[in-house]
Amino acid sequence: MQQTILSIAGKPGLFKLVTRGKNNLIVETLDSQHKRMPAFSTDRVTSLADIAMYTDEEDVPLMTVLAALRDLEKGKPCSLKFKKASQKELREYFAKALPTFDRERVHDSDIRKLLSWYNILIENGITDFEEEMKPTEGDNIDDRKDTPEDEPEKVTETKEKKK
């Protein structure tokens, strides 16, 4: 899940990776319209698994922060009206989920974007933020099936014919 949910710079919201084209990615918006569009190599595309939040110690992966928000809100959308909240309210609320966040390097806009992403994910039924993506097979992301971990991979050997 983590690697298939993407953020694209300059485009609001989050996107789900549908498939890979020759020179682009086909993504689908995570909203009620589920509009599909291409994301080209010139777009700055970032997987949520690659994002971290600044803290006073080490950076914390975004998925850990989202899991803390889910636990704080008991799996429901954000209770704070973050679009209209003051800086103090916003930072006090976020400190409940991540008490050690770096108050100098984490901006109010970062917190608002994170809370917006959290609401998008919750509204789309994505709540398992700790899930790791397993190796899959298939060309289309939707067609892929998880390979059982207890089954060994089949190795095929090719033998050249002697002339």
Side-chain angles (χ1 to χ4, degrees), residues 114-140:
L114 173 70
L115 296 176
S116 170
W117 287 355
Y118 169 77
N119 282 347
I120 290 170
L121 292 169
I122 293 297
E123 288 167 6
N124 283 279
I126 301 170
T127 58
D128 189 5
F129 303 119
E130 295 90 356
E131 174 187 326
E132 289 294 325
M133 189 175 192
K134 296 177 183 171
T136 57
E137 294 178 14
D139 292 332
N140 189 316

Side-chain angles (χ1 to χ4, degrees), residues 77-134:
C78 182
S79 59
L80 177 73
K81 304 293 182 208
F82 57 90
K83 291 181 181 179
K84 295 182 181 182
S86 69
Q87 177 182 8
K88 184 180 177 185
E89 292 172 326
L90 197 61
R91 290 179 173 271
E92 284 176 359
Y93 175 82
F94 191 61
K96 292 176 186 174
L98 187 63
T100 61
F101 81 96
D102 189 331
R103 276 128 176 98
E104 292 178 13
R105 295 194 294 174
V106 176
H107 302 281
D108 295 342
S109 60
D110 299 331
I111 298 171
R112 282 189 173 91
K113 182 178 282 188
L114 173 70
L115 296 176
S116 170
W117 287 355
Y118 169 77
N119 282 347
I120 290 170
L121 292 169
I122 293 297
E123 288 167 6
N124 283 279
I126 301 170
T127 58
D128 189 5
F129 303 119
E130 295 90 356
E131 174 187 326
E132 289 294 325
M133 189 175 192
K134 296 177 183 171

Side-chain angles (χ1 to χ4, degrees), residues 9-150:
K11 296 182 180 179
L14 292 174
F15 302 85
K16 176 183 173 186
L17 177 63
V18 177
T19 190
R20 292 179 173 95
K22 190 171 185 175
N23 296 320
N24 61 11
L25 300 173
I26 304 299
V27 297
E28 181 178 88
T29 58
L30 281 180
D31 60 10
S32 59
Q33 297 175 351
H34 298 289
K35 181 180 173 187
R36 289 188 178 190
M37 65 181 80
F40 298 98
S41 58
T42 55
D43 294 327
R44 207 170 73 213
V45 179
T46 307
S47 168
L48 292 192
D50 297 333
I51 301 174
M53 294 291 290
Y54 294 119
T55 65
D56 296 331
E57 294 94 30
E58 294 181 8
D59 294 350
V60 174
L62 184 67
M63 292 299 159
T64 304
V65 179
L66 289 170
L69 280 170
R70 177 201 59 213
D71 295 343
L72 176 68
E73 293 291 346
K74 296 179 178 52
K76 295 180 181 173
C78 182
S79 59
L80 177 73
K81 304 293 182 208
F82 57 90
K83 291 181 181 179
K84 295 182 181 182
S86 69
Q87 177 182 8
K88 184 180 177 185
E89 292 172 326
L90 197 61
R91 290 179 173 271
E92 284 176 359
Y93 175 82
F94 191 61
K96 292 176 186 174
L98 187 63
T100 61
F101 81 96
D102 189 331
R103 276 128 176 98
E104 292 178 13
R105 295 194 294 174
V106 176
H107 302 281
D108 295 342
S109 60
D110 299 331
I111 298 171
R112 282 189 173 91
K113 182 178 282 188
L114 173 70
L115 296 176
S116 170
W117 287 355
Y118 169 77
N119 282 347
I120 290 170
L121 292 169
I122 293 297
E123 288 167 6
N124 283 279
I126 301 170
T127 58
D128 189 5
F129 303 119
E130 295 90 356
E131 174 187 326
E132 289 294 325
M133 189 175 192
K134 296 177 183 171
T136 57
E137 294 178 14
D139 292 332
N140 189 316
I141 299 296
D142 293 332
D143 295 339
R144 294 183 178 191
K145 294 185 170 79
D146 292 336
T147 56
E149 292 178 27
D150 49 0

